[in-house]
Coordinates of all heavy atoms in Angstrom, one line a residue:
M1 N 14.1 7.0 6.8 CA 13.1 6.1 6.4 C 13.4 5.7 4.9 O 13.9 6.5 4.1 CB 11.7 6.8 6.4 CG 10.6 6.0 5.9 SD 9.0 6.7 6.1 CE 8.7 6.4 7.8
R2 N 13.2 4.5 4.6 CA 13.4 4.0 3.3 C 12.3 4.4 2.3 O 11.2 4.5 2.7 CB 13.5 2.5 3.3 CG 14.8 2.0 4.0 CD 14.9 0.5 3.7 NE 16.2 0.1 4.2 CZ 16.6 -1.1 4.3 NH1 15.8 -2.0 4.0 NH2 17.8 -1.3 4.8
R3 N 12.7 4.4 1.1 CA 11.8 4.7 0.0 C 11.0 3.4 -0.3 O 11.6 2.3 -0.4 CB 12.5 5.2 -1.2 CG 11.6 5.5 -2.4 CD 12.5 5.9 -3.6 NE 11.7 5.9 -4.8 CZ 11.3 7.0 -5.4 NH1 11.7 8.2 -4.9 NH2 10.6 7.0 -6.4
L4 N 9.7 3.5 -0.6 CA 8.9 2.4 -1.0 C 9.3 2.1 -2.4 O 9.6 3.0 -3.2 CB 7.4 2.7 -0.9 CG 6.9 2.9 0.5 CD1 5.5 3.5 0.5 CD2 6.9 1.6 1.2
D5 N 9.2 0.8 -2.8 CA 9.5 0.4 -4.2 C 8.4 0.7 -5.1 O 8.6 0.8 -6.3 CB 9.9 -1.1 -4.2 CG 11.1 -1.4 -3.4 OD1 12.2 -0.7 -3.6 OD2 11.1 -2.3 -2.6
A6 N 7.2 0.7 -4.6 CA 6.0 1.0 -5.4 C 4.9 1.6 -4.6 O 4.7 1.2 -3.5 CB 5.5 -0.3 -6.1
V7 N 4.2 2.6 -5.2 CA 3.0 3.1 -4.6 C 2.0 3.3 -5.7 O 2.3 4.0 -6.7 CB 3.3 4.5 -3.9 CG1 2.0 5.1 -3.4 CG2 4.4 4.4 -2.9
W8 N 0.9 2.6 -5.6 CA -0.2 2.7 -6.6 C -1.5 3.0 -6.0 O -1.9 2.6 -4.9 CB -0.3 1.3 -7.3 CG 0.8 1.0 -8.2 CD1 2.0 0.5 -7.8 CD2 0.9 1.2 -9.6 NE1 2.9 0.4 -8.9 CE2 2.2 0.8 -10.0 CE3 0.0 1.8 -10.5 CZ2 2.6 0.9 -11.4 CZ3 0.4 1.8 -11.8 CH2 1.7 1.4 -12.2
H9 N -2.3 3.8 -6.7 CA -3.7 4.2 -6.3 C -4.6 3.5 -7.2 O -4.4 3.6 -8.4 CB -3.8 5.7 -6.3 CG -5.2 6.2 -6.1 ND1 -6.0 6.8 -7.1 CD2 -6.0 6.1 -5.0 CE1 -7.2 7.1 -6.6 NE2 -7.2 6.7 -5.4
Y10 N -5.6 2.8 -6.7 CA -6.6 2.2 -7.5 C -8.0 2.8 -7.2 O -8.4 2.9 -6.1 CB -6.7 0.7 -7.1 CG -7.8 0.0 -7.9 CD1 -7.6 -0.2 -9.3 CD2 -8.9 -0.5 -7.3 CE1 -8.6 -0.9 -10.0 CE2 -9.9 -1.2 -8.0 CZ -9.7 -1.4 -9.4 OH -10.7 -2.1 -10.1
S11 N -8.6 3.3 -8.3 CA -9.9 4.1 -8.2 C -11.1 3.2 -8.5 O -12.2 3.8 -8.6 CB -9.8 5.3 -9.1 OG -9.8 4.9 -10.5
G12 N -10.9 2.0 -8.8 CA -12.1 1.1 -9.2 C -12.2 0.9 -10.7 O -12.8 0.0 -11.2
T13 N -11.5 1.8 -11.4 CA -11.5 1.7 -12.9 C -10.1 1.7 -13.4 O -9.9 1.3 -14.6 CB -12.3 2.9 -13.5 OG1 -11.7 4.1 -13.1 CG2 -13.8 2.8 -13.1
A14 N -9.1 2.3 -12.7 CA -7.8 2.4 -13.2 C -6.8 2.5 -12.1 O -7.1 2.9 -10.9 CB -7.6 3.6 -14.1
F15 N -5.5 2.1 -12.4 CA -4.4 2.2 -11.4 C -3.6 3.5 -11.8 O -3.4 3.8 -13.0 CB -3.5 1.0 -11.5 CG -4.0 -0.2 -10.8 CD1 -4.7 -1.1 -11.5 CD2 -3.8 -0.4 -9.5 CE1 -5.2 -2.3 -10.9 CE2 -4.2 -1.5 -8.8 CZ -4.9 -2.4 -9.5
T16 N -3.1 4.2 -10.8 CA -2.2 5.4 -11.1 C -1.0 5.2 -10.3 O -1.0 4.9 -9.1 CB -2.9 6.7 -10.6 OG1 -4.2 6.8 -11.3 CG2 -2.0 7.9 -10.9
D17 N 0.2 5.2 -11.0 CA 1.5 5.0 -10.3 C 1.9 6.3 -9.6 O 2.1 7.4 -10.2 CB 2.5 4.7 -11.4 CG 3.9 4.3 -10.8 OD1 4.1 4.4 -9.6 OD2 4.8 4.0 -11.6
L18 N 2.0 6.2 -8.3 CA 2.4 7.4 -7.4 C 3.8 7.2 -6.9 O 4.2 7.9 -5.9 CB 1.4 7.6 -6.3 CG -0.1 7.8 -6.7 CD1 -0.9 7.9 -5.5 CD2 -0.2 9.1 -7.5
T19 N 4.6 6.2 -7.4 CA 5.9 5.9 -6.8 C 6.8 7.1 -6.8 O 7.4 7.4 -5.9 CB 6.5 4.7 -7.6 OG1 5.6 3.6 -7.6 CG2 7.8 4.3 -6.9
G20 N 6.9 7.8 -8.0 CA 7.7 9.0 -8.1 C 7.3 10.1 -7.1 O 8.2 10.6 -6.3
P21 N 6.1 10.5 -7.1 CA 5.7 11.6 -6.2 C 5.8 11.2 -4.7 O 6.0 12.1 -3.9 CB 4.2 11.8 -6.5 CG 4.0 11.3 -7.9 CD 5.0 10.2 -8.0
A22 N 5.8 9.9 -4.4 CA 6.0 9.6 -2.9 C 7.4 9.9 -2.4 O 7.5 10.3 -1.3 CB 5.7 8.1 -2.8
G23 N 8.4 9.9 -3.3 CA 9.7 10.3 -3.0 C 10.3 9.7 -1.8 O 10.0 8.6 -1.4
E24 N 11.2 10.4 -1.2 CA 12.0 9.9 0.0 C 11.3 10.3 1.3 O 11.6 9.7 2.3 CB 13.4 10.5 0.0 CG 14.3 10.1 -1.1 CD 14.7 8.7 -1.0 OE1 14.7 8.1 0.2 OE2 15.1 8.1 -2.0
G25 N 10.4 11.2 1.3 CA 9.7 11.7 2.5 C 8.3 11.2 2.7 O 8.1 10.0 2.9
S26 N 7.4 12.2 2.6 CA 6.0 11.8 2.8 C 5.2 12.3 1.7 O 5.6 13.2 0.9 CB 5.5 12.4 4.1 OG 5.6 13.8 4.0
A27 N 4.1 11.7 1.5 CA 3.1 12.1 0.4 C 1.7 11.9 1.0 O 1.5 11.1 1.9 CB 3.3 11.2 -0.8
S28 N 0.8 12.7 0.5 CA -0.6 12.5 1.0 C -1.5 12.1 -0.2 O -1.2 12.4 -1.3 CB -1.1 13.8 1.6 OG -1.2 14.8 0.7
Q29 N -2.5 11.3 0.1 CA -3.4 10.9 -0.9 C -4.8 10.8 -0.3 O -5.0 10.2 0.8 CB -3.0 9.5 -1.4 CG -3.9 8.9 -2.5 CD -3.9 9.7 -3.8 OE1 -2.8 10.1 -4.2 NE2 -5.0 9.9 -4.4
V30 N -5.8 11.4 -0.9 CA -7.2 11.3 -0.5 C -7.8 10.2 -1.2 O -7.7 10.1 -2.4 CB -7.9 12.7 -0.7 CG1 -9.4 12.5 -0.4 CG2 -7.2 13.8 0.0
L31 N -8.4 9.3 -0.4 CA -9.1 8.1 -1.0 C -10.6 8.3 -0.9 O -11.1 8.6 0.1 CB -8.7 6.8 -0.3 CG -7.2 6.5 -0.4 CD1 -6.9 5.2 0.4 CD2 -6.7 6.3 -1.8
G32 N -11.3 8.0 -2.0 CA -12.7 8.0 -2.0 C -13.3 6.6 -1.6 O -12.5 5.7 -1.5
T33 N -14.6 6.5 -1.5 CA -15.2 5.2 -1.2 C -14.8 4.1 -2.2 O -14.9 4.4 -3.4 CB -16.7 5.4 -1.1 OG1 -17.0 6.4 -0.2 CG2 -17.4 4.1 -0.8
G34 N -14.3 3.0 -1.7 CA -13.9 1.9 -2.6 C -12.6 2.0 -3.2 O -12.1 1.1 -3.9
E35 N -11.9 3.1 -3.0 CA -10.5 3.3 -3.6 C -9.5 2.6 -2.7 O -9.7 2.4 -1.5 CB -10.2 4.7 -3.8 CG -11.1 5.4 -4.8 CD -10.7 6.9 -5.1 OE1 -10.0 7.5 -4.2 OE2 -11.1 7.4 -6.1
K36 N -8.4 2.2 -3.3 CA -7.3 1.5 -2.5 C -6.0 2.2 -2.8 O -5.7 2.7 -3.9 CB -7.3 0.1 -2.9 CG -8.6 -0.6 -2.6 CD -8.6 -2.1 -3.0 CE -9.9 -2.7 -2.7 NZ -9.9 -4.1 -3.0
L37 N -5.1 2.1 -1.8 CA -3.7 2.5 -2.0 C -2.8 1.3 -1.7 O -2.9 0.7 -0.6 CB -3.4 3.6 -1.0 CG -2.1 4.4 -1.1 CD1 -2.0 5.1 -2.5 CD2 -1.9 5.3 0.0
Y38 N -2.0 1.0 -2.7 CA -1.1 -0.2 -2.5 C 0.4 0.4 -2.3 O 0.8 1.2 -3.0 CB -1.1 -1.0 -3.8 CG -2.4 -1.7 -4.0 CD1 -3.4 -1.2 -4.8 CD2 -2.6 -3.0 -3.5 CE1 -4.6 -1.8 -5.0 CE2 -3.8 -3.6 -3.7 CZ -4.8 -3.1 -4.4 OH -6.0 -3.7 -4.6
L39 N 1.0 -0.1 -1.2 CA 2.4 0.2 -0.9 C 3.2 -1.0 -1.1 O 2.9 -2.1 -0.5 CB 2.5 0.8 0.5 CG 1.5 1.9 0.9 CD1 1.6 2.2 2.4 CD2 1.7 3.1 0.0
G40 N 4.3 -0.9 -1.8 CA 5.2 -2.1 -2.0 C 6.6 -1.9 -1.6 O 7.2 -0.8 -1.8
S41 N 7.2 -2.9 -1.0 CA 8.6 -2.8 -0.5 C 9.2 -4.2 -0.6 O 8.6 -5.2 -0.2 CB 8.6 -2.3 0.9 OG 10.0 -2.3 1.4
R42 N 10.4 -4.3 -1.2 CA 11.1 -5.5 -1.2 C 11.6 -6.0 0.2 O 11.8 -7.1 0.5 CB 12.3 -5.4 -2.1 CG 11.9 -5.3 -3.6 CD 13.1 -5.3 -4.5 NE 12.8 -5.0 -5.8 CZ 12.9 -3.8 -6.4 NH1 13.5 -2.9 -5.8 NH2 12.5 -3.6 -7.6
D43 N 11.8 -5.0 1.0 CA 12.3 -5.2 2.4 C 11.1 -5.2 3.4 O 10.7 -4.1 3.8 CB 13.3 -4.2 2.8 CG 13.9 -4.4 4.2 OD1 13.5 -5.4 4.8 OD2 14.7 -3.6 4.6
W44 N 10.5 -6.3 3.7 CA 9.3 -6.3 4.5 C 9.6 -5.8 5.9 O 8.7 -5.5 6.7 CB 8.7 -7.7 4.5 CG 9.5 -8.8 5.2 CD1 10.4 -9.5 4.6 CD2 9.4 -9.2 6.5 NE1 10.9 -10.4 5.5 CE2 10.3 -10.2 6.7 CE3 8.6 -8.8 7.6 CZ2 10.5 -10.9 7.9 CZ3 8.7 -9.5 8.8 CH2 9.7 -10.5 9.0
L45 N 10.8 -5.7 6.3 CA 11.2 -5.2 7.7 C 11.2 -3.7 7.7 O 11.2 -3.1 8.8 CB 12.5 -5.8 8.2 CG 12.5 -7.3 8.5 CD1 13.9 -7.7 8.8 CD2 11.5 -7.6 9.6
A46 N 11.2 -3.1 6.5 CA 11.3 -1.6 6.5 C 10.1 -0.9 7.0 O 10.2 0.1 7.7 CB 11.6 -1.1 5.0
G47 N 8.9 -1.5 6.8 CA 7.7 -1.0 7.3 C 7.2 0.2 6.6 O 7.9 0.7 5.7
A48 N 6.1 0.7 7.0 CA 5.5 1.9 6.4 C 4.7 2.6 7.5 O 4.0 2.0 8.3 CB 4.6 1.6 5.2
R49 N 4.8 3.9 7.5 CA 4.0 4.7 8.5 C 2.8 5.3 7.8 O 3.0 6.0 6.9 CB 4.9 5.8 9.2 CG 4.2 6.6 10.2 CD 5.0 7.6 10.8 NE 4.2 8.3 11.8 CZ 4.5 9.5 12.1 NH1 5.5 10.2 11.6 NH2 3.7 10.1 13.0
L50 N 1.7 5.0 8.4 CA 0.4 5.6 7.8 C -0.2 6.5 8.8 O -0.4 6.1 10.0 CB -0.5 4.5 7.4 CG -0.1 3.4 6.4 CD1 -1.2 2.4 6.3 CD2 0.2 4.1 5.1
V51 N -0.5 7.7 8.4 CA -1.3 8.6 9.3 C -2.6 8.8 8.6 O -2.7 9.2 7.5 CB -0.6 10.0 9.4 CG1 -1.4 10.9 10.3 CG2 0.8 9.8 10.0
V52 N -3.6 8.3 9.3 CA -5.0 8.2 8.7 C -5.9 9.2 9.5 O -6.0 9.2 10.7 CB -5.6 6.8 8.8 CG1 -7.0 6.7 8.3 CG2 -4.6 5.8 8.2
S53 N -6.5 10.0 8.7 CA -7.6 10.9 9.2 C -8.8 10.6 8.4 O -8.7 10.6 7.2 CB -7.2 12.3 9.2 OG -7.0 12.8 7.9
A54 N -10.0 10.4 9.0 CA -11.2 10.1 8.3 C -12.4 10.8 8.9 O -12.5 11.0 10.1 CB -11.4 8.6 8.4
A55 N -13.2 11.3 8.0 CA -14.5 11.9 8.4 C -15.5 10.7 8.4 O -15.5 10.0 7.4 CB -14.9 13.0 7.4
G56 N -16.2 10.6 9.4 CA -17.2 9.5 9.5 C -16.5 8.2 9.9 O -15.7 8.2 10.8
A57 N -16.9 7.1 9.3 CA -16.4 5.8 9.7 C -14.9 5.6 9.4 O -14.5 6.1 8.4 CB -17.2 4.7 8.9
A58 N -14.2 4.9 10.2 CA -12.8 4.7 10.0 C -12.6 3.8 8.8 O -13.4 2.8 8.6 CB -12.2 4.1 11.3
P59 N -11.6 4.0 8.1 CA -11.3 3.2 6.9 C -10.8 1.8 7.3 O -10.2 1.7 8.4 CB -10.2 3.9 6.1 CG -9.6 4.8 7.1 CD -10.6 5.1 8.2
A60 N -10.9 0.8 6.5 CA -10.4 -0.5 6.7 C -8.9 -0.5 6.2 O -8.6 -0.1 5.1 CB -11.2 -1.6 6.0
I61 N -8.0 -0.9 7.0 CA -6.6 -1.0 6.7 C -6.2 -2.5 6.7 O -6.3 -3.1 7.8 CB -5.7 -0.2 7.6 CG1 -6.1 1.3 7.4 CG2 -4.2 -0.4 7.2 CD1 -5.4 2.2 8.4
V62 N -5.8 -3.0 5.6 CA -5.5 -4.5 5.6 C -4.1 -4.6 5.0 O -3.7 -4.1 4.0 CB -6.4 -5.2 4.6 CG1 -6.1 -6.7 4.5 CG2 -7.9 -5.0 5.1
A63 N -3.2 -5.3 5.8 CA -1.8 -5.6 5.3 C -1.8 -6.9 4.7 O -2.2 -7.9 5.3 CB -0.9 -5.5 6.5
E64 N -1.3 -7.0 3.4 CA -1.2 -8.3 2.7 C 0.1 -8.5 2.1 O 0.8 -7.5 1.9 CB -2.3 -8.3 1.6 CG -3.7 -8.3 2.1 CD -4.7 -8.3 0.9 OE1 -4.4 -7.6 -0.1 OE2 -5.7 -9.0 1.1
T65 N 0.5 -9.7 1.9 CA 1.7 -10.0 1.2 C 1.4 -10.9 0.0 O 0.5 -11.7 0.0 CB 2.8 -10.7 2.1 OG1 4.0 -10.8 1.4 CG2 2.3 -12.0 2.6
F66 N 2.2 -10.8 -1.1 CA 1.9 -11.6 -2.3 C 2.8 -12.8 -2.2 O 4.0 -12.8 -2.0 CB 2.3 -10.8 -3.6 CG 1.9 -11.6 -4.8 CD1 0.6 -11.7 -5.2 CD2 2.9 -12.3 -5.5 CE1 0.2 -12.4 -6.3 CE2 2.5 -13.0 -6.7 CZ 1.2 -13.0 -7.1
D67 N 2.1 -14.0 -2.2 CA 2.8 -15.3 -2.1 C 3.1 -15.7 -3.6 O 2.2 -16.1 -4.3 CB 1.9 -16.3 -1.4 CG 2.5 -17.7 -1.3 OD1 3.6 -17.9 -1.8 OD2 1.9 -18.5 -0.7
G68 N 4.4 -15.7 -3.9 CA 4.8 -16.0 -5.3 C 4.6 -17.5 -5.6 O 4.6 -17.9 -6.8
V69 N 4.5 -18.3 -4.6 CA 4.3 -19.8 -4.8 C 2.9 -20.1 -5.3 O 2.7 -20.8 -6.3 CB 4.7 -20.6 -3.5 CG1 4.4 -22.0 -3.7 CG2 6.1 -20.3 -3.1
S70 N 1.9 -19.6 -4.5 CA 0.5 -19.9 -4.9 C -0.1 -18.7 -5.7 O -1.2 -18.8 -6.1 CB -0.3 -20.1 -3.6 OG -0.3 -18.9 -2.9
N71 N 0.7 -17.7 -6.0 CA 0.2 -16.5 -6.8 C -1.0 -15.9 -6.2 O -2.0 -15.7 -6.9 CB 0.1 -16.9 -8.3 CG 1.4 -17.1 -8.9 OD1 2.4 -16.4 -8.6 ND2 1.5 -18.0 -9.9
A72 N -1.0 -15.7 -4.9 CA -2.2 -15.2 -4.2 C -1.8 -14.2 -3.1 O -0.7 -14.2 -2.6 CB -3.0 -16.3 -3.6
W73 N -2.7 -13.3 -2.8 CA -2.5 -12.3 -1.7 C -2.9 -12.9 -0.4 O -3.9 -13.6 -0.4 CB -3.2 -11.0 -2.0 CG -2.6 -10.2 -3.1 CD1 -3.0 -10.2 -4.4 CD2 -1.6 -9.3 -2.9 NE1 -2.2 -9.3 -5.1 CE2 -1.3 -8.7 -4.2 CE3 -0.8 -8.8 -1.9 CZ2 -0.3 -7.8 -4.5 CZ3 0.2 -7.9 -2.1 CH2 0.4 -7.4 -3.4
K74 N -2.1 -12.8 0.6 CA -2.4 -13.4 1.9 C -2.3 -12.2 3.0 O -1.4 -11.5 3.0 CB -1.4 -14.4 2.3 CG -1.3 -15.5 1.2 CD -1.1 -16.8 1.7 CE -1.3 -17.8 0.6 NZ -0.9 -19.1 0.9
T75 N -3.4 -12.2 3.8 CA -3.5 -11.2 4.8 C -2.4 -11.4 5.9 O -2.3 -12.6 6.4 CB -4.9 -11.2 5.5 OG1 -5.8 -11.0 4.4 CG2 -5.0 -10.1 6.5
L76 N -1.7 -10.4 6.3 CA -0.7 -10.5 7.4 C -1.4 -10.2 8.7 O -2.3 -9.4 8.8 CB 0.4 -9.4 7.2 CG 1.3 -9.6 6.0 CD1 2.2 -8.4 5.8 CD2 2.1 -10.9 6.1
P77 N -1.0 -10.9 9.8 CA -1.6 -10.6 11.1 C -1.2 -9.3 11.6 O -0.1 -8.8 11.3 CB -1.1 -11.8 12.0 CG 0.2 -12.2 11.3 CD 0.0 -12.0 9.8
T78 N -2.1 -8.6 12.2 CA -1.8 -7.2 12.7 C -1.4 -7.2 14.2 O -1.0 -6.2 14.7 CB -3.0 -6.3 12.6 OG1 -4.1 -6.9 13.3 CG2 -3.4 -6.1 11.1
Q79 N -1.4 -8.3 14.9 CA -1.0 -8.3 16.3 C 0.3 -9.1 16.4 O 0.6 -10.0 15.8 CB -2.1 -9.0 17.1 CG -3.4 -8.3 17.1 CD -3.3 -6.9 17.7 OE1 -2.6 -6.7 18.7 NE2 -4.0 -5.9 17.2

């Protein structure tokens, strides 16, 4: 599995760089309500494996790509 180029956690007030701790293997991160985890890769074909366990309602997982032409995030289709 390839290493991600960037891993960031957003808590609603600040970003935390988790790229180093993610390393070559796996890393775990507990997200609270409203928190986000951003995974970045220059190679969009590399993919990312997410194992999600949630108490209560399932979390929303949205895959987006940054469009450098319009400088906007665009949602990727999941099917």
